[in-house]
Amino acid sequence: MSGMIQEEPLIFERSADGRSGVDLPAPPPHAPRLGQLKPRADIGLPNLSEPEMVRHYTRLSRQNFGIDSVFYPLGSCTMKHNPRLNEKTARLPGFADIHPLQPVSTVQGALEAMEQLSGWLLTLTGMAAVTLTPAAGAHGEFCGMSAIKAALTARGEARGKVLVPESAHGTNPATAAALGFEVVAIPARADGRVDASDVAQRLDENTAAIMLTNPNTCGLFEGDTCAIAAAVHEAGAYFYGDGANYNALVGRVRPADLGMDVMHINLHKTFSTPHGGGGPGSGPVVFSERLAAFVPVPYVTRAGERLALVEDDDAARKDGVTSLGRLRAFHGQMGMFVRALTYMLSHGGDGLYQVSGDAVLNANYILARLKDVMSAPYPGPCMHEALFDDTFLKDTGVTTLDIAKALLDAGFHPMTMYFPLVAPGAFLIEPTETESRETLDEFIEALRDLAAKARAGEKDWFAGAPYSTPRRRLDEVRAARNPVLRWKKGA
Ligand SMILES: *Cc1c(COP(=O)(O)O)cnc(C)c1O
């Protein structure tokens, strides 16, 4: 226990038999109708009074690190501020209190919001079709790559290979493998980018697609993208764009103009909807003319003044769409759609243009002010995130993990560590555009201080960090190998 921040037991440990937050009369005698399903023993639900329950969860919430309490520069995750206006609109009863099985005539406003969001996504990306249903980026990848597979099948081809740069996010090879493709790695050049000639060498009549992230996960612009797209198309393959880093380009570059055929957009990254702690995300996918006929159902269409939903494959065929079918039961994360649309409308086109400019500026400020004490593996400016490796820690006995733990004591959420794998001991720092100069300066000073401590030989101090968190240094290997996931009474 330290002051008002108390050690918090599990809710089961707080429980006292017979205590309750409600006061209900005992039920009248009745014959049980559950038959064999009748519980044989007490199922062990916790018993707490209402204030005990409220305090339990409030205390837990205070032990959380979140974007609303600290700077959260987690690379590749775009942890930008979620404007409170987004929350206000998402809570409007016409959006928040509707049900996916309501007649469409009663949810015209919600469909209109979905149509408007779709319109913004198509305008920004220059693409021809969009689906809003995927639950997050990885699900969007599955959707987009399934469309590529369906397009190949429609051509009567069964191409088996997908090219993936070695710096790619793990979800790219995982998606390709889940769909039965063989993954072929493309090496990076010394400057951290993919070379069009390396791609061309690996392309053949068995190549289904390339999955490319731009800017890539090293925070670098892939300057060969148009040449890569041309070579991929020449070989009869498709170009999957991983749009997770779209915050660096939004309002400036249209992915369709880069030659991409399909791209997922993480609304929870680029368009500010909240994420972390497992969701909900939202990963709409945009399709070029070449793949537009393979968009999944359901989608919104206009029938005169009214909006309608195309819900099944037969209806889609009337639009010339060979639908993939459904990716989920209903229409996607309505609350996220409203938040993202609010963000777009409140920024406007000029505001979104400024978003990408400020995001890139902030990352370059961090890179410029840290590269004399940390080590940047690639020369030149970066896009929306700054990458460092652990060369500057050589012979200090201090690791990337130690620096990340010590940052917790300095009051910051650590950056992404050890990813991308191409940079040994990587630190991937993505500040986003929503941080002030003062916040960036405090973070930079904290890292400069830690780099100096490492050089000064304080490895034993680092080994004990963090010192101020409710839990200290954890044995992560043991936690992963021997997880204790169940609480047992009296154990
Ligand atoms: C975040 C991310 C993904 C996956 O997106 P989720 O929404 O987390 O499923 C894919 N690729 C890159 C580069 C990412 O940063």
Side-chain angles (χ1 to χ4, degrees), residues 76 136-138 141 169 171-172 213 217 242 244-245 264 266 268-269:
S76 217
E141 289 175 38
H169 194 269
T171 50
N172 293 185
T213 315
T217 61
D242 178 330
N245 292 342
H264 75 260
N266 310 63
H268 48 287
K269 293 179 180 173

